[in-house]
mmCIF file of all heavy atoms in Angstrom:
data_model
loop_
_atom_site.group_PDB
_atom_site.id
_atom_site.type_symbol
_atom_site.label_atom_id
_atom_site.label_comp_id
_atom_site.label_asym_id
_atom_site.label_seq_id
_atom_site.Cartn_x
_atom_site.Cartn_y
_atom_site.Cartn_z
ATOM 1 N N LEU A 73 13.249 0.147 -5.365
ATOM 2 C CA LEU A 73 13.977 0.645 -4.191
ATOM 3 C C LEU A 73 15.268 -0.219 -3.990
ATOM 4 O O LEU A 73 16.310 0.366 -3.731
ATOM 5 C CB LEU A 73 13.120 0.473 -2.971
ATOM 6 C CG LEU A 73 13.809 0.762 -1.574
ATOM 7 C CD1 LEU A 73 14.053 2.253 -1.420
ATOM 8 C CD2 LEU A 73 12.924 0.346 -0.512
ATOM 9 N N GLU A 74 15.187 -1.543 -3.992
ATOM 10 C CA GLU A 74 16.296 -2.393 -3.880
ATOM 11 C C GLU A 74 17.420 -2.030 -4.931
ATOM 12 O O GLU A 74 18.579 -2.032 -4.558
ATOM 13 C CB GLU A 74 15.895 -3.827 -4.052
ATOM 14 C CG GLU A 74 15.055 -4.409 -2.834
ATOM 15 C CD GLU A 74 14.584 -5.812 -3.156
ATOM 16 O OE1 GLU A 74 15.187 -6.521 -3.891
ATOM 17 O OE2 GLU A 74 13.610 -6.241 -2.448
ATOM 18 N N GLN A 75 16.980 -1.850 -6.226
ATOM 19 C CA GLN A 75 17.954 -1.536 -7.247
ATOM 20 C C GLN A 75 18.672 -0.175 -6.923
ATOM 21 O O GLN A 75 19.865 -0.143 -7.123
ATOM 22 C CB GLN A 75 17.260 -1.544 -8.678
ATOM 23 C CG GLN A 75 16.864 -2.814 -9.125
ATOM 24 C CD GLN A 75 16.183 -2.711 -10.501
ATOM 25 O OE1 GLN A 75 15.925 -1.645 -10.994
ATOM 26 N NE2 GLN A 75 15.917 -3.930 -11.011
ATOM 27 N N LEU A 76 17.874 0.703 -6.514
ATOM 28 C CA LEU A 76 18.585 2.084 -6.244
ATOM 29 C C LEU A 76 19.442 1.984 -5.010
ATOM 30 O O LEU A 76 20.553 2.481 -4.932
ATOM 31 C CB LEU A 76 17.489 3.145 -5.955
ATOM 32 C CG LEU A 76 16.673 3.522 -7.280
ATOM 33 C CD1 LEU A 76 15.480 4.367 -6.763
ATOM 34 C CD2 LEU A 76 17.569 4.188 -8.229
ATOM 35 N N ARG A 77 19.048 1.288 -3.913
ATOM 36 C CA ARG A 77 19.857 1.228 -2.723
ATOM 37 C C ARG A 77 21.135 0.506 -2.963
ATOM 38 O O ARG A 77 22.121 0.599 -2.203
ATOM 39 C CB ARG A 77 18.952 0.568 -1.618
ATOM 40 C CG ARG A 77 17.854 1.408 -1.102
ATOM 41 C CD ARG A 77 18.334 2.607 -0.247
ATOM 42 N NE ARG A 77 17.196 3.388 0.299
ATOM 43 C CZ ARG A 77 17.117 4.672 0.223
ATOM 44 N NH1 ARG A 77 17.961 5.443 -0.332
ATOM 45 N NH2 ARG A 77 16.068 5.283 0.827
ATOM 46 N N SER A 78 21.171 -0.450 -3.952
ATOM 47 C CA SER A 78 22.285 -1.247 -4.135
ATOM 48 C C SER A 78 23.213 -0.638 -5.131
ATOM 49 O O SER A 78 24.320 -1.171 -5.418
ATOM 50 C CB SER A 78 21.989 -2.685 -4.577
ATOM 51 O OG SER A 78 21.344 -2.705 -5.844
ATOM 52 N N HIS A 79 22.942 0.489 -5.742
ATOM 53 C CA HIS A 79 23.708 1.191 -6.674
ATOM 54 C C HIS A 79 24.463 2.347 -6.051
ATOM 55 O O HIS A 79 23.953 3.301 -5.483
ATOM 56 C CB HIS A 79 22.795 1.743 -7.842
ATOM 57 C CG HIS A 79 23.537 2.153 -9.092
ATOM 58 N ND1 HIS A 79 24.316 3.251 -9.125
ATOM 59 C CD2 HIS A 79 23.462 1.582 -10.320
ATOM 60 C CE1 HIS A 79 24.828 3.252 -10.369
ATOM 61 N NE2 HIS A 79 24.317 2.309 -11.065
ATOM 62 N N PRO A 80 25.806 2.376 -6.256
ATOM 63 C CA PRO A 80 26.616 3.411 -5.595
ATOM 64 C C PRO A 80 26.329 4.807 -5.960
ATOM 65 O O PRO A 80 26.484 5.789 -5.226
ATOM 66 C CB PRO A 80 28.023 2.974 -5.909
ATOM 67 C CG PRO A 80 28.000 2.069 -7.020
ATOM 68 C CD PRO A 80 26.574 1.395 -6.912
ATOM 69 N N ARG A 81 25.832 5.015 -7.223
ATOM 70 C CA ARG A 81 25.527 6.351 -7.752
ATOM 71 C C ARG A 81 24.328 6.952 -7.032
ATOM 72 O O ARG A 81 24.196 8.203 -7.013
ATOM 73 C CB ARG A 81 25.287 6.371 -9.185
ATOM 74 C CG ARG A 81 25.083 7.653 -9.895
ATOM 75 C CD ARG A 81 24.966 7.529 -11.382
ATOM 76 N NE ARG A 81 24.772 8.800 -11.989
ATOM 77 C CZ ARG A 81 24.269 8.941 -13.169
ATOM 78 N NH1 ARG A 81 23.833 7.993 -13.952
ATOM 79 N NH2 ARG A 81 24.136 10.230 -13.691
ATOM 80 N N PHE A 82 23.476 6.186 -6.394
ATOM 81 C CA PHE A 82 22.273 6.669 -5.773
ATOM 82 C C PHE A 82 22.305 6.505 -4.223
ATOM 83 O O PHE A 82 21.237 6.713 -3.611
ATOM 84 C CB PHE A 82 21.003 5.942 -6.316
ATOM 85 C CG PHE A 82 21.158 5.996 -7.980
ATOM 86 C CD1 PHE A 82 21.269 4.922 -8.688
ATOM 87 C CD2 PHE A 82 21.032 7.303 -8.523
ATOM 88 C CE1 PHE A 82 21.248 5.070 -10.166
ATOM 89 C CE2 PHE A 82 21.007 7.404 -9.947
ATOM 90 C CZ PHE A 82 21.189 6.317 -10.672
ATOM 91 N N THR A 83 23.471 6.315 -3.735
ATOM 92 C CA THR A 83 23.543 6.219 -2.219
ATOM 93 C C THR A 83 23.207 7.548 -1.593
ATOM 94 O O THR A 83 23.577 8.648 -2.190
ATOM 95 C CB THR A 83 25.016 5.937 -1.870
ATOM 96 O OG1 THR A 83 25.351 4.700 -2.479
ATOM 97 C CG2 THR A 83 25.175 5.871 -0.363
ATOM 98 N N GLY A 84 22.343 7.551 -0.663
ATOM 99 C CA GLY A 84 21.944 8.777 0.053
ATOM 100 C C GLY A 84 20.840 9.506 -0.580
ATOM 101 O O GLY A 84 20.413 10.608 -0.148
ATOM 102 N N LYS A 85 20.274 9.121 -1.707
ATOM 103 C CA LYS A 85 19.296 9.850 -2.441
ATOM 104 C C LYS A 85 17.996 9.503 -1.703
ATOM 105 O O LYS A 85 17.724 8.439 -1.145
ATOM 106 C CB LYS A 85 19.143 9.365 -3.811
ATOM 107 C CG LYS A 85 20.325 9.662 -4.689
ATOM 108 C CD LYS A 85 20.592 11.109 -4.808
ATOM 109 C CE LYS A 85 21.832 11.329 -5.760
ATOM 110 N NZ LYS A 85 22.097 12.813 -5.946
ATOM 111 N N MET A 86 17.100 10.448 -1.647
ATOM 112 C CA MET A 86 15.772 10.407 -0.973
ATOM 113 C C MET A 86 14.851 9.637 -1.898
ATOM 114 O O MET A 86 14.742 9.897 -3.106
ATOM 115 C CB MET A 86 15.127 11.729 -0.713
ATOM 116 C CG MET A 86 15.747 12.580 0.272
ATOM 117 S SD MET A 86 15.369 12.037 1.888
ATOM 118 C CE MET A 86 13.725 12.434 2.113
ATOM 119 N N ILE A 87 14.286 8.510 -1.393
ATOM 120 C CA ILE A 87 13.321 7.603 -2.143
ATOM 121 C C ILE A 87 12.039 7.612 -1.341
ATOM 122 O O ILE A 87 11.989 7.063 -0.291
ATOM 123 C CB ILE A 87 14.022 6.278 -2.368
ATOM 124 C CG1 ILE A 87 15.280 6.371 -3.056
ATOM 125 C CG2 ILE A 87 12.944 5.343 -3.185
ATOM 126 C CD1 ILE A 87 16.004 5.025 -3.138
ATOM 127 N N VAL A 88 11.095 8.123 -1.907
ATOM 128 C CA VAL A 88 9.667 8.243 -1.299
ATOM 129 C C VAL A 88 8.668 7.382 -2.054
ATOM 130 O O VAL A 88 8.552 7.587 -3.321
ATOM 131 C CB VAL A 88 9.244 9.743 -1.153
ATOM 132 C CG1 VAL A 88 7.897 9.869 -0.536
ATOM 133 C CG2 VAL A 88 10.380 10.535 -0.439
ATOM 134 N N ALA A 89 7.969 6.661 -1.239
ATOM 135 C CA ALA A 89 6.865 5.775 -1.898
ATOM 136 C C ALA A 89 5.609 6.632 -2.112
ATOM 137 O O ALA A 89 5.254 7.462 -1.120
ATOM 138 C CB ALA A 89 6.591 4.609 -0.939
ATOM 139 N N LEU A 90 4.811 6.471 -3.144
ATOM 140 C CA LEU A 90 3.526 6.997 -3.290
ATOM 141 C C LEU A 90 2.610 5.816 -3.336
ATOM 142 O O LEU A 90 2.727 4.867 -4.212
ATOM 143 C CB LEU A 90 3.433 7.860 -4.501
ATOM 144 C CG LEU A 90 3.939 9.259 -4.305
ATOM 145 C CD1 LEU A 90 5.398 9.390 -4.342
ATOM 146 C CD2 LEU A 90 3.266 10.204 -5.277
ATOM 147 N N THR A 91 1.535 5.832 -2.547
ATOM 148 C CA THR A 91 0.549 4.617 -2.594
ATOM 149 C C THR A 91 -0.770 5.082 -2.102
ATOM 150 O O THR A 91 -0.894 5.964 -1.256
ATOM 151 C CB THR A 91 1.188 3.450 -1.871
ATOM 152 O OG1 THR A 91 0.404 2.316 -1.849
ATOM 153 C CG2 THR A 91 1.417 3.850 -0.293
ATOM 154 N N ALA A 92 -1.768 4.435 -2.492
ATOM 155 C CA ALA A 92 -3.080 4.570 -2.004
ATOM 156 C C ALA A 92 -3.257 3.652 -0.834
ATOM 157 O O ALA A 92 -4.254 3.664 -0.099
ATOM 158 C CB ALA A 92 -4.160 4.279 -3.100
ATOM 159 N N SER A 93 -2.359 2.651 -0.621
ATOM 160 C CA SER A 93 -2.481 1.704 0.517
ATOM 161 C C SER A 93 -1.766 2.277 1.704
ATOM 162 O O SER A 93 -0.611 2.143 1.846
ATOM 163 C CB SER A 93 -1.733 0.400 0.100
ATOM 164 O OG SER A 93 -2.253 -0.140 -1.117
ATOM 165 N N VAL A 94 -2.535 2.880 2.518
ATOM 166 C CA VAL A 94 -1.929 3.637 3.676
ATOM 167 C C VAL A 94 -2.502 3.120 5.062
ATOM 168 O O VAL A 94 -2.483 3.800 5.955
ATOM 169 C CB VAL A 94 -2.337 5.159 3.538
ATOM 170 C CG1 VAL A 94 -1.533 5.712 2.326
ATOM 171 C CG2 VAL A 94 -3.788 5.332 3.421
#
Side-chain angles (χ1 to χ4, degrees):
L73 173 72
E74 289 175 20
Q75 289 182 354
L76 292 169
R77 292 289 186 226
S78 65
H79 195 292
R81 187 173 179 202
F82 308 113
T83 300
K85 300 294 183 176
M86 292 286 286
I87 305 171
V88 178
L90 276 78
T91 183
S93 305
V94 291

